[in-house]
Amino acid sequence: MPELPEVQTTVNGLKTKVINLTIRDVWSNYNSDYFKGSETIKDPRYFKYFKKTITGKKIISVERRAKNILINVTDGQTILIHMKMTGHLLFGHYKYDAKIKKDPWVPIEPESLKDPYNRHIRLVISLSNGYHLALSDVRRFAKVTVLPRDTAHHSIHLSGIGPEPLEAQFTFDKFKDRLFRKPQSKIKQSLIDQSIIAGIGNIYADETLWRARIHPAEKIANIPKDKLKELYVAIRSLLSKGIKLGGDSMSDYRNVDGEKGKFQEHHFAYRKTGQHCEMKGCKGTIKRIVLGGRSTHYCSLHQVLSKNSI
C-alpha cells in the first residue's frame, strides 16, 4: 500500500501537472451493484453524482492528509482519493480503444506509462489541455469520493486520523504521548495505526524499527526513552528520505509519470528475510514474523524482544 512518501510524491507530481486545468469528462469501470450505498464511485448511482459534481470544475490545489490525496476544485468541492493497496495516479495522454474489452485506455505519452503495472485503469478524468488523470488499480481496492471542502477534514474519511509525523509541531513529546495512549500495544502495530500517527505503513515501520534497534513486537511500555527517541528520529528521517527518493516501488507503486521510485533500493529489513543484517558490526539475520496479520521483518540480533514483552 502506498504510504506517506508515495502519496506525497504523487501530490508533488500532481501540483506540477493539473493545477488550473478544468475537468471535461469522467470515466470509470469501478461501477458495481455490490457497492451500492458506499458513497464512492464504485456505486454506479454515486458515480453519476460524482461525475456531475466535478465535471466543469477547475482544479485549484492538491494536498495530502495521511495516505489520502485531496484534489480541491472550484465550487467548494474536494475529490478524495485513497490509493489503498495497488492504486496509483498517472498523468498523460491516453486514447480509448473500445475494441479492447479489458483495460481499454491505451497510453500515448509519456512512454513510461506503458509499464505493465500502469495498465489497470479504473478511473479517467479528462482535462482541458487534452491530457488525462488516470487511476491504475489492479486489485480494485482504491477509494474515490467527493466532499464539501469546508467539512472534508471532519468527514468519516479523515476525522479519526492522527497527527502528521513530518510537521514541525510533531515533537518527540507528542510522539511519545501518542504511543502511550496504548502502552501495552506492540510497537509495530501502533506505528501503522492511523489513529495514532498518520501515514506510516509496513515498509517504513519495519525500516524505522530496524534503525532504532527495537523489536517490532516490543510493548511500548517496555521501550526505554532513548530507544523511543531513536525511533522518533528514524521516522522523520526515513519518511523524508522516502519522499526525496520518489517513494517505494517494491510492488505496484509508480509516480504520476508512471515511473518507479527508488526507496526500495535502500531497504535493510523489509522483505530481506534470510539475508545477513547490514547494521554495522551486527552479525544477525533478517527474520520474518506475522503481527496483526501483517508480514514483519527484523534483525535476530540487534532487535531483541525484552523479557517483559515475551
Side-chain angles (χ1 to χ4, degrees), residues 32-243:
S32 170
D33 287 338
Y34 179 80
F35 289 96
K36 279 185 176 179
S38 68
E39 292 194 359
T40 72
I41 65 169
K42 293 178 182 178
D43 180 337
R45 292 175 299 181
Y46 186 86
F47 175 71
K48 292 179 181 179
Y49 166 77
F50 177 85
K51 181 176 180 177
K52 181 180 179 181
T53 300
I54 70 169
T55 299
K57 305 300 190 299
K58 180 184 288 187
I59 297 172
I60 56 177
S61 63
V62 186
E63 58 186 308
R64 178 190 60 79
R65 177 66 175 110
K67 300 178 184 179
N68 298 276
I69 296 166
L70 306 175
I71 301 175
N72 299 313
V73 300
T74 50
D75 202 25
Q77 300 296 317
T78 293
I79 302 166
L80 181 147
I81 301 174
H82 193 306
M83 300 187 286
K84 299 291 185 177
M85 285 186 66
T86 61
H88 55 278
L89 285 170
L90 302 162
F91 178 88
H93 185 202
Y94 287 81
K95 69 174 182 179
Y96 182 83
D97 190 339
K99 296 178 182 178
I100 304 175
K101 293 184 179 180
K102 185 177 182 180
D103 305 323
W105 287 92
V106 181
I108 306 302
E109 60 171 314
E111 190 69 21
S112 50
L113 291 179
K114 297 177 183 179
D115 180 327
Y117 280 92
N118 298 328
R119 71 178 184 269
H120 307 283
I121 304 301
R122 312 300 181 199
L123 169 69
V124 176
I125 297 175
S126 300
L127 300 166
S128 53
N129 65 347
Y131 279 71
H132 305 87
L133 179 59
L135 175 62
S136 176
D137 181 19
V138 60
R139 299 287 296 275
R140 293 178 174 265
F141 289 157
K143 175 174 67 177
V144 183
T145 190
V146 62
L147 305 165
R149 186 156 58 255
D150 59 353
T151 59
H153 287 273
H154 303 289
S155 70
I156 189 173
H157 307 285
L158 301 176
S159 62
I161 299 174
E164 293 287 339
L166 291 181
E167 290 184 347
Q169 55 266 42
F170 188 72
T171 62
F172 172 65
D173 286 339
K174 188 167 187 177
F175 170 66
K176 189 172 64 171
D177 175 69
R178 299 297 297 185
L179 290 181
F180 273 86
R181 294 184 177 201
K182 298 180 180 181
Q184 296 305 310
S185 293
K186 296 173 181 178
I187 183 63
K188 166 72 181 285
Q189 290 169 285
S190 287
L191 287 181
I192 64 175
D193 184 340
Q194 298 301 290
S195 70
I196 296 177
I197 304 171
I200 302 173
N202 248 11
I203 296 173
Y204 295 92
D206 282 0
E207 292 298 319
T208 54
L209 288 168
W210 178 88
R211 181 177 285 194
R213 299 169 295 151
I214 300 172
H215 193 287
E218 190 71 78
K219 290 181 181 178
I220 292 167
N222 297 331
I223 302 174
K225 184 177 179 179
D226 62 329
K227 287 284 190 74
L228 282 178
K229 188 63 179 285
E230 285 187 55
L231 180 59
Y232 167 76
V233 171
I235 288 170
R236 288 171 66 88
S237 173
L238 288 185
L239 290 177
S240 297
K241 183 176 181 179
I243 296 169

Side-chain angles (χ1 to χ4, degrees), residues 206-207 250-251 267 269-273 275 286 297:
D206 282 0
E207 292 298 319
M250 174 65 80
S251 185
H267 289 181
Y270 185 73
R271 291 193 181 179
K272 292 280 189 175
T273 306
Q275 298 186 33
I286 302 300
H297 309 83

